[in-house]
Amino acid sequence: MFYIEIANIFWKYVRAGLYAAADVPADLATLKTFPLQLVSMAELMEEAVNIAIVYGISAYDASYVALSHRVSAPLLTLDQRLVNTLTNAPYNVQLFTNFSVPPLP
Protein backbone atom coordinates (compact mmCIF):
# COMPACT_ATOMS: atom_id res chain seq x y z
CA MET A 1 0.00 0.00 0.00
CA PHE A 2 3.07 2.22 -0.11
CA TYR A 3 2.17 3.87 -3.37
CA ILE A 4 -1.42 4.71 -2.48
CA GLU A 5 -0.33 5.96 0.95
CA ILE A 6 2.18 8.28 -0.71
CA ALA A 7 -0.44 9.41 -3.22
CA ASN A 8 -2.76 10.23 -0.33
CA ILE A 9 -0.03 12.25 1.39
CA PHE A 10 0.58 14.21 -1.82
CA TRP A 11 -3.16 14.85 -2.09
CA LYS A 12 -3.30 16.14 1.51
CA TYR A 13 -0.36 18.47 0.93
CA VAL A 14 -1.83 19.78 -2.33
CA ARG A 15 -5.19 20.32 -0.65
CA ALA A 16 -3.50 22.21 2.19
CA GLY A 17 -1.65 24.43 -0.29
CA LEU A 18 1.75 23.08 0.81
CA TYR A 19 2.63 21.30 -2.43
CA ALA A 20 2.13 22.14 -6.08
CA ALA A 21 -0.18 19.77 -7.94
CA ALA A 22 2.03 20.20 -11.00
CA ASP A 23 4.91 18.54 -9.11
CA VAL A 24 2.98 15.38 -8.27
CA PRO A 25 3.38 13.40 -11.55
CA ALA A 26 7.18 13.77 -11.64
CA ASP A 27 7.54 12.91 -7.97
CA LEU A 28 5.32 9.84 -8.35
CA ALA A 29 7.42 8.75 -11.33
CA THR A 30 10.56 9.09 -9.20
CA LEU A 31 9.01 6.98 -6.42
CA LYS A 32 8.28 4.22 -8.93
CA THR A 33 12.01 3.91 -9.58
CA PHE A 34 12.84 3.05 -5.95
CA PRO A 35 14.03 -0.57 -5.59
CA LEU A 36 11.29 -1.66 -3.20
CA GLN A 37 10.31 -5.22 -2.41
CA LEU A 38 6.59 -5.42 -3.18
CA VAL A 39 4.26 -7.67 -1.24
CA SER A 40 0.75 -8.27 -2.47
CA MET A 41 -2.01 -7.44 -0.01
CA ALA A 42 -3.61 -10.72 -1.11
CA GLU A 43 -0.64 -12.51 0.47
CA LEU A 44 -1.21 -10.68 3.78
CA MET A 45 -5.00 -10.76 3.86
CA GLU A 46 -5.52 -13.91 5.91
CA GLU A 47 -2.87 -13.06 8.51
CA ALA A 48 -4.13 -9.47 8.71
CA VAL A 49 -7.72 -10.55 9.38
CA ASN A 50 -6.56 -13.01 12.05
CA ILE A 51 -4.48 -10.32 13.77
CA ALA A 52 -7.40 -7.89 13.55
CA ILE A 53 -9.80 -10.37 15.12
CA VAL A 54 -7.45 -11.48 17.91
CA TYR A 55 -6.32 -7.99 18.92
CA GLY A 56 -9.41 -5.95 18.09
CA ILE A 57 -7.69 -3.65 15.60
CA SER A 58 -8.69 -2.72 12.08
CA ALA A 59 -7.74 -5.05 9.25
CA TYR A 60 -6.05 -2.00 7.72
CA ASP A 61 -3.74 -1.60 10.72
CA ALA A 62 -3.33 -5.35 10.98
CA SER A 63 -2.09 -5.48 7.37
CA TYR A 64 0.84 -3.28 8.35
CA VAL A 65 1.48 -5.44 11.42
CA ALA A 66 1.45 -8.58 9.25
CA LEU A 67 3.81 -7.03 6.71
CA SER A 68 6.29 -5.87 9.34
CA HIS A 69 6.20 -9.33 10.89
CA ARG A 70 6.73 -11.00 7.51
CA VAL A 71 9.81 -8.92 6.69
CA SER A 72 11.15 -8.96 10.29
CA ALA A 73 11.13 -5.19 10.60
CA PRO A 74 9.59 -3.00 13.28
CA LEU A 75 6.33 -1.26 12.48
CA LEU A 76 6.76 2.40 13.34
CA THR A 77 3.59 4.33 14.06
CA LEU A 78 2.34 7.48 15.72
CA ASP A 79 -0.73 5.56 16.91
CA GLN A 80 -0.15 5.18 20.66
CA ARG A 81 -3.35 3.14 20.98
CA LEU A 82 -2.07 0.59 18.45
CA VAL A 83 1.27 0.33 20.27
CA ASN A 84 -0.53 -0.16 23.60
CA THR A 85 -2.88 -2.77 22.16
CA LEU A 86 0.02 -4.84 20.79
CA THR A 87 2.43 -4.37 23.71
CA ASN A 88 2.24 -8.03 24.78
CA ALA A 89 1.75 -9.42 21.28
CA PRO A 90 4.50 -11.18 19.30
CA TYR A 91 4.76 -8.20 16.94
CA ASN A 92 7.36 -5.45 16.95
CA VAL A 93 5.21 -2.32 16.91
CA GLN A 94 6.93 0.80 18.18
CA LEU A 95 6.01 4.41 18.64
CA PHE A 96 7.82 6.37 15.95
CA THR A 97 8.93 9.07 18.39
CA ASN A 98 10.64 6.46 20.61
CA PHE A 99 12.53 4.74 17.80
CA SER A 100 16.17 5.39 17.10
CA VAL A 101 18.04 4.03 14.13
CA PRO A 102 20.52 1.39 15.26
CA PRO A 103 24.17 2.02 14.35
CA LEU A 104 25.59 0.23 11.36
CA PRO A 105 27.92 -2.69 12.19
Side-chain angles (χ1 to χ4, degrees), residues 10 21 24 54 57 59 89 91 104:
F10 283 162
V24 173
V54 169
I57 63 175
Y91 305 106
L104 293 174

Side-chain angles (χ1 to χ4, degrees), residues 20-102:
D23 293 337
V24 173
D27 291 340
L28 289 175
T30 298
L31 285 171
K32 289 179 187 177
T33 67
F34 289 1
L36 299 175
Q37 175 187 352
L38 301 180
V39 176
S40 167
M41 292 306 293
E43 293 178 34
L44 298 174
M45 182 173 48
E46 186 174 342
E47 184 178 2
V49 170
N50 289 334
I51 292 168
I53 291 168
V54 169
Y55 295 99
I57 63 175
S58 71
Y60 176 83
D61 286 346
S63 68
Y64 284 104
V65 174
L67 177 60
S68 73
H69 186 69
R70 176 162 304 179
V71 299
S72 300
L75 173 60
L76 303 180
T77 181
L78 291 174
D79 185 341
Q80 182 69 59
R81 190 172 134 239
L82 181 62
V83 173
N84 292 345
T85 299
L86 297 174
T87 295
N88 296 317
Y91 305 106
N92 187 1
V93 180
Q94 299 180 34
L95 197 60
F96 191 86
T97 54
N98 293 343
F99 182 78
S100 60
V101 177

